[in-house]
């Protein structure tokens, strides 16, 4: 159990009580599964309801649908500090990565793709499938839950076309210094692709300042949306040289010309769009990202760091182990705890009104801006009970 007098923690730089009231489920549930699915907010629910109402009242409404999708791209662009014209929308991160992988010619000398053991398996599977296109794949190892930045010096070389970097490791929250790795990659003439799915929404990600070439993130985790949407950033200068075979009519310069004899990719991020977007999930995504832009990711990061310090202190005080980094500078929102039968523990916590996410040998407590230290206490009290 918790030791007396150990709840010393700073205050968030936003009105946490007011924001918590946006998420009705938080009245009943401790929500620490944000690395997997974040809770539903009233505003996101309304955005979905508005779509359904409009469909019901007005039927087909292409102009509005396209405007909704554009608005979602604008919120994503605000989150990562890029131009909306550098953003495309996809149904999942996997589809966005497939689009990128289909965009290059691998017949030249630069045909090596570098991935890491910390990548979500989808990244590695997609590039493995591309081996038949002529790529060489190399995998940077994870050692003791982390990747030594010096490994990138070794693995990225003059044959590397793209170095794929997960900003935050989905298993233990290990966070990488993207600007540093971008520097190493660019020095060797390689592009950098960032999978920011476990980072975006929890801290500032500045695609320009970090010198990121390509970035993907989806919306159901920290971005407060639902399944069915992910966004891809491709740096403006790179777009004309990338020709996706995973394409469709909405990737064309003038999709509404319907002229099959005039095949011309769009000259901005729309080049990576394909077919009719999932408009209803774009509405949810727009509203979720708008909330984050309003709260402010810089403030969110400060609070998540506070919660991380608190969780690490509590874990140590209660005799739990963690596979997450102890250095806050190297830690994202996930705090992972090795337990026997993680899936069973996840289910038993859920029965007690506590949502966490099991992955491999651990359960993950994933903080977000609406999480309180009391939530962490409740989760750890219940965990102690279950494991006893
Ligand atoms: C870091 C990371 N990348 C990619 C994915 C896969 O995303 P999607 O299912 O949208 O393809 C996940 C899903 O958990 C993830 O955590």
């Amino acid at each position: 159990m918790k030791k007396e007098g150990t709840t010393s923690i700073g205050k968030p730089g936003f009105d946490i009580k007011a924001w918590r009231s946006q998420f009705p489920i938080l009245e009943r549930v401790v929500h620490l599964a944000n690395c997997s699915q974040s809770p539903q907010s009233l505003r996101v629910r309304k955005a979905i309801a508005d779509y359904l109402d409009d469909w019901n009242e007005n039927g087909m409404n292409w102009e509005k649908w396209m405007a909704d999708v554009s608005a979602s791209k604008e919120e994503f662009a605000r989150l990562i500090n890029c131009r909306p014209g550098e953003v495309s929308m996809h149904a999942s991160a996997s589809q966005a990565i497939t689009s990128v992988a289909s965009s290059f010619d691998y017949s030249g000398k630069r045909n090596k793709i570098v991935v890491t053991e910390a990548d979500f398996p989808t990244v590695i599977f997609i590039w493995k499938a591309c081996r038949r296109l002529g790529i060489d794949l190399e995998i940077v190892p994870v050692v003791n839950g982390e990747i030594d930045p010096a490994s990138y010096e070794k693995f990225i070389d003059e044959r590397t076309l793209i170095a794929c970097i997960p900003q935050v490791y989905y298993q233990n929250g290990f966070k990488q210094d993207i600007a540093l790795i971008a520097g190493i990659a660019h020095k060797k003439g390689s592009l950098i692709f960032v999978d920011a799915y476990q980072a975006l929404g929890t801290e500032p990600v500045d695609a320009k300042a970090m010198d990121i070439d390509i970035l993907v993130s989806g919306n159901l985790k920290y971005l407060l949306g639902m399944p069915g949407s992910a966004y891809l950033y491709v740096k403006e200068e790179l777009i004309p040289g990338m020709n996706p075979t995973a394409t469709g009519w909405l990737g064309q310069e003038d999709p509404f010309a319907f002229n099959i004899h005039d095949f011309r990719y769009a000259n901005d991020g729309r080049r990576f769009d394909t077919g009719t977007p999932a408009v209803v999930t774009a509405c949810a995504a727009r509203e979720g990202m708008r909330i984050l832009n309003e709260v402010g990711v810089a403030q969110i990061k400060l609070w998540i760091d506070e919660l991380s310090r608190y969780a690490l202190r509590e874990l140590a005080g209660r005799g739990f182990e963690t596979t997450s980094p102890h250095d806050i500078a190297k830690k994202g929102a996930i705090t992972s705890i090795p337990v026997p039968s993680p899936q069973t523990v996840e289910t038993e916590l859920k029965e007690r009104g506590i949502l966490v996410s099991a992955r491999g040998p651990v359960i993950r407590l994933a903080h977000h801006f609406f999480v309180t230290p009391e939530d962490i206490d409740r989760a750890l009290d219940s965990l102690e009970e279950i494991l006893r």
Side-chain angles (χ1 to χ4, degrees):
M1 283 301 271
K2 187 178 167 55
K3 291 205 192 96
E4 281 306 310
T6 50
T7 317
S8 65
I9 180 163
K11 296 257 175 294
F14 47 85
D15 188 345
I16 190 166
K17 202 157 161 247
W19 280 113
R20 278 178 69 87
S21 67
Q22 258 301 317
F23 301 87
I25 194 176
L26 298 183
E27 283 172 24
R28 295 177 285 109
V29 158
V30 169
H31 205 296
L32 293 167
N34 303 298
C35 53
S36 192
Q37 167 72 73
S38 51
Q40 187 188 103
S41 64
L42 295 172
R43 277 172 50 177
V44 166
R45 189 180 178 84
K46 180 171 182 312
I48 296 167
D50 287 348
Y51 170 84
L52 292 175
D53 287 347
D54 178 68
W55 180 18
N56 202 25
E57 281 156 32
N58 302 314
M60 185 192 76
N61 203 347
W62 272 94
E63 230 166 80
K64 183 177 179 319
W65 297 345
M66 293 297 119
D68 284 336
V69 172
S70 293
S72 72
K73 290 180 179 177
E74 279 165 28
E75 292 299 334
F76 186 80
R78 266 175 81 194
L79 264 183
I80 66 161
N81 185 33
C82 75
R83 284 177 280 283
E86 293 173 304
V87 177
S88 52
M89 185 191 166
H90 302 260
S92 65
S94 302
Q95 285 196 355
I97 300 163
T98 299
S99 173
V100 170
S102 82
S103 294
F104 292 96
D105 174 4
Y106 302 104
S107 60
K109 198 171 126 282
R110 256 189 207 277
N111 67 344
K112 189 169 110 178
I113 306 295
V114 170
V115 294
T116 78
E117 283 179 350
D119 271 297
F120 195 77
T122 207
V123 176
I124 296 172
F125 294 151
I126 290 167
W127 287 114
K128 280 196 167 172
C130 289
R131 275 181 171 150
R132 69 162 194 236
L133 303 178
I135 67 154
D136 269 350
L137 191 62
E138 287 203 30
I139 308 183
V140 179
V142 168
V143 180
N144 296 327
E146 301 189 8
I147 296 172
D148 180 354
S151 318
Y152 292 112
E153 289 283 4
K154 196 172 120 210
F155 278 84
I156 302 172
D157 59 22
E158 68 295 336
R159 286 202 308 115
T160 310
L161 180 64
I162 308 173
C164 298
I165 315 294
Q167 191 167 358
V168 169
Y169 186 9
Y170 71 98
Q171 288 216 4
N172 69 352
F174 164 62
K175 181 163 71 182
Q176 310 209 65
D177 183 339
I178 296 300
L180 176 83
I181 302 165
I184 296 170
H186 290 154
K187 206 173 58 195
K188 307 207 183 189
S190 164
L191 300 174
I192 180 171
F193 167 95
V194 175
D195 177 351
Y197 211 154
Q198 291 292 345
L200 199 60
T202 69
E203 63 175 285
V205 175
D206 187 325
K208 301 298 172 189
M210 292 170 162
D211 208 5
I212 296 170
D213 299 300
I214 305 170
L215 176 146
V216 70
S217 188
N219 293 78
L220 68 155
K221 306 177 194 295
Y222 304 95
L223 298 188
L224 310 177
M226 62 192 279
S229 60
Y231 293 83
L232 175 71
Y233 156 78
V234 179
K235 192 200 257 176
E236 198 169 53
E237 300 87 302
L238 291 175
I239 293 171
M242 290 173 63
N243 300 307
T245 56
T247 188
W249 63 297
L250 288 176
Q252 289 285 295
E253 183 57 29
D254 184 2
F256 293 94
F258 300 105
N259 179 357
I260 59 168
H261 304 292
D262 185 18
F263 174 86
R264 265 180 306 130
Y265 283 119
N267 267 324
D268 58 11
R270 290 179 301 122
R271 172 176 296 228
F272 305 98
D273 287 336
T274 55
T276 308
V279 182
V280 65
T281 75
C283 295
R286 177 206 69 218
E287 205 52 39
M289 292 188 287
R290 196 168 278 169
I291 289 174
L292 295 168
N293 280 323
E294 276 174 39
V295 181
V297 276
Q299 287 301 326
I300 292 175
K301 178 193 186 298
L302 292 177
W303 183 237
I304 287 177
D305 283 353
E306 276 292 299
L307 293 169
S308 281
R309 281 188 207 96
Y310 182 77
L312 291 174
R313 236 177 17 236
E314 276 300 309
L315 288 179
R318 294 168 187 249
F320 282 115
E321 284 182 16
T322 178
T323 54
S324 295
H326 287 83
D327 176 357
I328 296 295
K330 286 202 271 176
K331 183 181 178 305
I334 292 172
T335 303
S336 58
I337 309 171
V339 291
S341 318
Q343 203 60 54
T344 314
V345 171
E346 179 192 301
T347 308
E348 290 191 25
L349 282 170
K350 190 170 186 182
E351 282 161 7
R352 289 167 162 81
I354 294 157
L355 300 186
V356 302
S357 166
R359 232 349 140 252
V362 299
I363 53 160
R364 302 174 297 173
L365 276 48
H367 317 304
H368 210 334
F369 71 102
F370 44 76
V371 170
T372 64
E374 290 74 25
D375 287 338
I376 296 170
D377 286 344
R378 266 191 65 194
L380 295 182
D381 287 349
S382 295
L383 188 58
E384 281 180 337
E385 251 174 61
I386 291 165
L387 296 180
R388 202 176 290 142

